Amino acid sequence: MRYLKFALAKGRLANKLLDLFENIGITMDEMRDPDTRKLIFTNEELGIEMFLAKASDVPTYVEYGAADIGVVGKDTLLEAGRKLYEVLDLGFGKCRMCVCGPAEAAELLEHGRLIRVASKYPEIARDYFYNRRHQTVEIIKLNGSVELAPIVGLSEVIVDIVETGTTLRENGLTVLDEICPLSARMVVNPVSMKMENARIRELIRRIREQLPQ
Ligand code: PRP
């Protein structure tokens, strides 16, 4: 039997997925060890291999077929824009992609001004401003702590993930518009979907049974 290969986004999503897998009898004990530096884990009995990758690289592994299946946030999938089948909304890691800024910046959006938008997600920001709002903006790519940008005057607004809203609140910022809801998704390589159809469909069916309706 060929190994079914999974690429998982490192961190919280991977741990949640392991819980889900345990419920359907797929165990990867070694992966639970917080001190391990190993990147690939195998369950020989079930013919499964799992590896941990940086979230933004998961769609790449799956598109090229280095992994048959990926588990990653919808934010990363939208930003990467790769040709994958999105087969399951796993329902965890829920948050929202939003346009945020100081309350006064709402006016700049309404009047379609040429503003600067800082984001870790330049493609999502571009799609939102150009295709949904038809507003020309300057997009500035950042790599983290994006909330800083409007505070120090790098940009008027940001496009970023809001989960509890604490980061915004503690920095005097607010949600100006919601772009889309986000959560962890399972994606499949289109060729793997054909070649390993029965195994993958059975896996999806068993996971779906575990998800709240
Ligand atoms: C994310 C996101 C926000 C924050 C939102 O950042 O970019 O900054 O979490 O969460 P909250 O609404 O619950 O406060 P992350 O912690 O991933 O780090 P980063 O700022 O380096 O991207």
Side-chain angles (χ1 to χ4, degrees), residues 128-136:
Y128 168 82
F129 278 99
Y130 283 75
N131 299 331
R132 264 167 70 176
R133 293 198 77 99
H134 307 292
Q135 180 173 357
T136 304

Side-chain angles (χ1 to χ4, degrees), residues 1 11 19 41 49 51-52 57 59 61 64 72 93 98 100 104 128 145 149 160 174 184 187 189 192 205:
M1 186 165 58
D19 293 342
F41 305 86
E49 186 176 278
F51 55 88
L52 295 170
D57 293 334
Y61 283 105
Y64 282 86
V72 69
C98 296
C100 311
E104 314 82 77
Y128 168 82
S145 302
D160 200 18
T174 185
V187 288
N189 170 283
S192 305
R205 188 189 65 73

Side-chain angles (χ1 to χ4, degrees), residues 120 144-147 160-167:
K120 274 203 288 192
S145 302
V146 179
E147 290 83 357
D160 200 18
I161 291 173
V162 179
E163 191 179 348
T164 61
T166 310
T167 314

Side-chain angles (χ1 to χ4, degrees), residues 15-16 18-20 22 28-34 36:
N15 285 327
K16 290 260 192 190
L18 291 182
D19 293 342
L20 207 59
E22 267 174 25
M28 301 299 260
D29 292 336
E30 251 190 317
M31 248 175 133
R32 294 283 196 181
D33 176 359
T36 186

